[in-house]
Amino acid sequence: MLDFTGLGLWLNLPIFAGAAVSVWMAGVRITGHANVISEKTGVGQAFIGVALLGGITSLPELAVAVTSSLSGDASLAVNSILGGIAMQVAILALADALIGRKALTSVIPDPVVMLQGGFKILLLSIVTASIVVGDVAVLSTGLWMWLLATVTGLALWVLSRAQHGRPWIANDEEVTRENEEERARQEAKGSKTQSLSTAASAAAVCGGVIVVAGYLLSRTGDAIAEVSGLGQSFVGAVLVAIATSLPEVSTVFAATRAGLYTMAMSDIFGTNLIDLSFLFVIDITGGADAVMNGAGRFEAFAALIAITVTAIFFIGLVERRDRTVLRMGYDSFAVLIIYLAGLVALYFLRDTSGGGG
């Protein structure tokens, strides 16, 4: 395991920034490949958002989770997951501004997104309960984390069977599932010479870049936390979380600009579902004790922020009111305000992590 602490703050920052740029560039390219795969296979955008974009763009979080946990920095791993989930939802609010004249939640034609949001809130509730109540290690992993893994598997199974359910009618008559699929086909025409195998290979290469860059983000992020004195809790929940979320930023913005709104929101919610399952991986690799026993008020509040911003978008999806402020829906504006206020609160809570911050 490489140790970057000896390099100092000013050498770690450029490495961290370079890894972040690599993650961003790979995320930009992978959206196009995912669209080609969706078109060639006939799989819906919502499923591609969860299975492909959600899976591949989660690779930085997986790299951070495993490398940090194996090196004894489970606090950094846990906080990067919980902080990243809230941050990624805030990305949707920024993407909403790209639409400008409409609220993002009023133009989502696929009800599977609501199902994803519901499961995500359920998983976050399990995580919060494990922090508040405490966990008991069973077969080298906390009992709550076994429940988390089981519900994640159930969620993915239910979502895989929900792709052909009853359509959800958007407030905008121009935004239907069929029209989104047509826009996806038009976007894919620019890559019509690209075969399915080529698109899959290119997506795999992008995934490899993301894994390597994610590893560097983990190690340099840990070094920055130690050298700067900010602590693993805050650095994990903010700095590392933002950096590992860059694939989602690039893919969501690219999908939104192309009018693929379902893919954009499904990418975030799908990534969140997969990211939460990494807490189970962290627990397995983090030692004999249940890893969530090392969590405290900081981690619990980070989870509550993630629940709150997700619930706001869930309400927006149900209400489907097309009102905007500052070029974004009311719900997106509320998400941004709550996320930024939450960051301030986390800064003052950074010394209250169960693991010592």
Side-chain angles (χ1 to χ4, degrees), residues 23-354:
V23 167
W24 170 276
M25 294 178 65
V28 169
R29 291 183 174 276
I30 206 169
T31 305
H33 302 314
N35 193 28
V36 172
I37 293 172
S38 175
E39 175 63 20
K40 298 286 186 181
T41 60
V43 177
Q45 288 183 47
F47 185 76
I48 284 292
V50 174
L52 184 59
L53 288 183
I56 295 180
T57 57
S58 291
L59 291 176
E61 287 84 354
L62 178 60
V64 168
V66 174
T67 56
S68 297
S69 184
L70 287 175
S71 61
D73 302 323
S75 176
L76 178 71
V78 170
N79 283 294
S80 67
I81 295 294
L82 296 178
I85 288 173
M87 190 270 173
Q88 289 160 17
V89 176
I91 290 170
L92 283 174
L94 295 176
D96 195 349
L98 294 178
I99 302 175
R101 64 186 180 86
K102 306 170 184 175
L104 177 62
T105 49
S106 72
V107 293
I108 300 293
D110 198 328
V112 174
V113 173
M114 295 177 60
L115 195 57
Q116 294 168 352
F119 275 119
K120 176 185 164 185
I121 292 174
L122 177 58
L123 293 177
L124 282 166
S125 299
I126 293 173
V127 172
T128 307
S130 71
I131 298 172
V132 175
V133 177
D135 212 347
V136 178
V138 176
L139 299 177
S140 302
T141 305
L143 188 60
W144 283 105
M145 293 301 98
W146 280 112
L147 177 61
L148 182 77
T150 301
V151 175
T152 301
L154 174 64
L156 295 177
W157 178 76
V158 171
L159 288 169
S160 70
R161 295 173 59 88
Q163 295 306 307
H164 304 292
R166 194 167 57 186
W168 181 257
I169 301 174
N171 277 352
D172 189 332
E173 61 182 11
E174 296 179 359
V175 183
T176 64
R177 183 185 294 178
E178 292 75 16
N179 288 346
E180 274 201 328
E181 291 172 353
E182 178 60 28
R183 276 195 293 272
R185 283 192 290 271
Q186 293 298 324
E187 285 291 312
K189 281 184 178 179
S191 303
K192 62 183 178 181
T193 58
Q194 189 179 49
S195 66
L196 176 60
S197 60
T198 302
S201 299
V205 170
C206 291
V209 172
I210 290 174
V211 168
V212 174
Y215 173 80
L216 291 175
L217 287 173
S218 168
R219 305 316 308 142
T220 54
D222 183 43
I224 290 170
E226 183 172 339
V227 175
S228 67
L230 287 173
Q232 289 183 338
S233 297
F234 189 75
V235 170
V238 180
L239 186 61
V240 176
I242 290 174
T244 55
S245 295
L246 287 175
E248 287 81 10
V249 176
S250 55
T251 55
V252 165
F253 280 22
T256 304
R257 280 194 294 265
L260 307 178
Y261 307 126
T262 298
M263 181 180 288
M265 183 164 278
S266 186
D267 176 23
I268 294 298
F269 283 3
T271 297
N272 292 164
L273 291 175
I274 296 172
D275 287 352
L276 283 167
S277 70
F278 293 159
L279 292 174
F280 177 78
V281 178
I282 294 170
D283 210 346
I284 290 178
T285 57
D289 191 22
V291 72
M292 299 311 290
N293 285 337
R297 292 171 59 198
F298 183 96
E299 291 80 4
F301 190 72
L304 288 174
I305 294 173
I307 290 174
T308 302
V309 293
T310 303
I312 290 173
F313 267 136
F314 195 98
I315 293 169
L317 285 167
V318 174
E319 186 186 30
R320 308 183 71 70
R321 181 164 298 183
D322 191 15
R323 292 184 178 179
T324 61
V325 56
L326 298 178
R327 291 179 54 84
M328 66 184 75
Y330 284 2
D331 46 7
S332 293
F333 183 73
V335 164
L336 277 182
I337 295 299
I338 289 174
Y339 175 69
L340 292 175
L343 289 185
V344 174
L346 287 176
Y347 177 79
F348 290 104
L349 282 171
R350 67 189 188 280
D351 296 326
T352 63
S353 169

